[in-house]
Amino acid sequence: MPDASAWLPSLVVFGVAAVLAVSGVVALRRAGVRRERRELAAVADAEVRAKQLIVQADDAVRDAEREVSYAEAQFGTATARDTRAAVERAKARLREAFLLQQRLDDAEPDTAADRRGWTARIDDLCRTALSELAVAGDTLAARRRRERGAGDDLPALTEDAAALRRAVDDAATTLARLSSRYDPSALGSARADAERAAAGLAEAEAALAEATTSLEQSRPAAEPLERAADALARARRDLDELAGVEPALAGAADDAGRAAAALGLDVDAARAERDGLDDPDAAADLGTAIAATATVLAERAGYARDPLLDRDRLSAARDRLDAARAAARTSQHRLDGARGALGGAMSIAEGQIAVAGAAIERGGRSVGAAARTRLAEAERQLETARQEADPVAALDAARRASTHANDAEALARYDALGPDALGR
């Protein structure tokens, strides 16, 4: 008995703890249930809206199927293909929405998170389907509006085609007249414009004939009328280009005349520059360019029927002549600069050679062959500079003489006084 009494307080404590633990678990479960109920209640409104969207999308798909069937009968399968594809995509989204709604409606319990996710997906599917169907419906409506106005456009387009036919015929007459004055090479772009305009007109007339037949048979005519309008616009642009050919050729002839006159003056100036050049190679190069330019000027009569080519040849000849004159001026400037610097370079070389010679004399036998060789090379380069007719080559030789003389002096000082001599 005393032993049992000793365990009694512990049993009481364990019992109380067990009761508290069970109570806590029960309380947590109840709180979780209450929270889940609140979340399910919150999702309920969204589920109602999702059901409404399913009904709305289903009605829209049914309406769209009827519309696309009517459009296929009215405009043909090819024209209604995009609308049919939009309807099929909407039906696929609606099928997925129905499957998700079936999960929401079945008897199996679902978590609030699952129901929330399925409801959001239904909402997205239905709204996307409705949006695609609306775009497809707008496209069909626009097409029907065009068809209702197609009959009104036909007379105006027919008049435009008749006017363009007269313009194409006039363009052919103009080309025939220009062919008597200009070579085919000068009229290449004009002929291409005329051919494109005639082809565009033929395309437009064929489309107008198709539209006329369609209207007579109560079939859609908007598409051929649109093709006719596009073809007429292209043909009109080509004729506008053709209209500018004759003024362009006349302007090119005037430009060529002015260019030839200016180029003749440039040739005279280039001959004077050539005669004043001291560099025979530069004079020969400039003379070649002058001869080529004179040939272009002399052959102009053979290009009178193609003023565009005549103008281009004159422009190219002027570019070549300008390049040759620039090269000749550069050569002459180089010679003039060398002449101006040659006297000073010769004096420096002579003075440096004298200094190097004196250093070798002072060093006597202690000065080695390297210094004496450098001095000999400096004297040889100086003599070359004195005898060289080309001032540029003479200047280079005088500068080499100075360099070798400097080396000779440094080597002589090194041999005579040792390494420290170079630093003093």
Side-chain angles (χ1 to χ4, degrees):
M1 292 298 290
D3 292 338
S5 300
W7 282 98
L8 185 59
S10 297
L11 292 173
V12 171
V13 172
F14 287 135
V16 171
V19 170
L20 292 176
V22 172
S23 299
V25 171
V26 172
L28 288 174
R29 288 182 176 177
R30 289 178 177 175
V33 170
R34 287 195 298 271
R35 184 171 58 253
E36 184 74 9
R37 287 175 179 173
R38 286 196 301 271
E39 292 180 358
L40 288 172
V43 174
D45 293 339
E47 292 179 6
V48 172
R49 290 193 297 271
K51 290 180 179 180
Q52 293 172 348
L53 281 172
I54 285 181
V55 173
Q56 184 179 353
D58 187 42
D59 289 342
V61 166
R62 295 174 186 276
D63 293 341
E65 283 187 310
R66 287 191 293 271
E67 283 295 317
V68 77
S69 298
Y70 177 64
E72 288 172 344
Q74 183 180 12
F75 304 124
T77 303
T79 302
R81 184 180 296 114
D82 292 341
T83 306
R84 170 63 70 182
V87 172
E88 293 302 324
R89 288 194 300 271
K91 289 170 67 176
R93 290 188 172 88
L94 190 59
R95 283 194 296 270
E96 183 181 350
F98 281 137
L99 289 175
L100 293 173
Q101 186 61 47
Q102 180 64 32
R103 292 184 185 179
L104 292 172
D105 293 340
D106 60 23
E108 296 181 7
D110 304 311
T111 65
D114 287 341
R115 298 184 74 86
R116 186 185 304 109
W118 297 338
T119 301
R121 178 61 177 165
I122 292 172
D123 185 281
D124 180 65
L125 290 168
C126 291
R127 291 185 186 278
T128 303
L130 288 170
S131 176
E132 288 188 342
L133 292 176
V135 171
D138 291 343
T139 301
L140 283 180
R143 179 60 189 270
R144 291 191 176 104
R145 285 195 297 272
R146 291 199 303 272
E147 290 297 340
R148 285 195 294 271
D152 298 334
D153 295 337
L154 180 59
L157 289 174
T158 302
E159 291 181 5
D160 289 345
L164 195 61
R165 168 60 65 186
R166 292 190 294 271
V168 167
D169 294 341
D170 292 342
T173 302
T174 299
L175 272 179
R177 176 172 55 81
L178 293 176
S179 296
S180 63
R181 296 171 51 192
Y182 299 107
D183 286 342
S185 59
L187 299 175
S189 62
R191 292 188 184 281
D193 291 334
E195 290 172 359
R196 286 194 299 270
L201 177 60
E203 180 183 350
E205 289 174 340
L208 288 173
E210 179 184 348
T212 300
T213 302
S214 297
L215 289 172
E216 290 173 350
Q217 298 176 359
S218 299
R219 290 190 288 108
E223 184 175 344
L225 286 174
E226 290 173 356
R227 292 202 310 270
D230 291 341
L232 288 172
R234 292 197 308 273
R236 197 173 294 109
R237 286 194 297 269
D238 291 329
L239 286 179
D240 290 341
E241 293 290 333
L242 176 59
V245 169
E246 187 170 9
L249 290 171
D254 293 340
D255 292 342
R258 288 190 293 267
L263 191 57
L265 297 177
D266 289 341
V267 168
D268 293 340
R271 288 194 179 103
E273 291 178 4
R274 179 200 58 190
D275 295 340
L277 290 174
D278 297 325
D279 185 347
D281 293 335
D285 291 341
L286 182 55
T288 300
I290 291 171
T293 305
T295 300
V296 171
L297 289 171
E299 293 176 348
R300 282 199 65 216
Y303 296 90
R305 289 177 58 85
D306 192 342
L308 296 173
L309 182 57
D310 185 26
R311 183 185 60 187
D312 293 343
R313 292 179 74 251
L314 290 169
S315 178
R318 181 166 189 169
D319 290 342
R320 291 192 296 270
L321 182 61
D322 288 344
R325 293 175 71 184
R329 292 190 194 104
T330 299
S331 176
Q332 188 63 40
H333 291 159
R334 185 170 60 92
L335 290 175
D336 293 341
R339 286 195 187 94
L342 181 59
M346 294 283 286
S347 297
I348 292 172
E350 291 168 352
Q352 191 59 47
I353 288 173
V355 171
I360 292 174
E361 288 291 335
R362 286 194 300 272
R365 291 179 178 273
S366 61
V367 178
R372 298 172 189 273
T373 301
R374 295 292 196 285
L375 179 59
E377 180 62 19
E379 291 171 343
R380 190 184 72 80
Q381 292 290 344
L382 180 60
E383 186 61 26
T384 298
R386 287 172 177 155
Q387 296 177 1
E388 180 61 59
D390 184 355
V392 175
L395 179 61
D396 291 340
R399 288 171 175 169
R400 288 194 297 272
S402 296
T403 300
H404 289 303
N406 282 331
D407 293 343
E409 180 195 2
L411 290 170
R413 290 173 62 194
Y414 180 87
D415 291 343
L417 303 176
D420 294 340
L422 295 178
R424 296 198 295 267

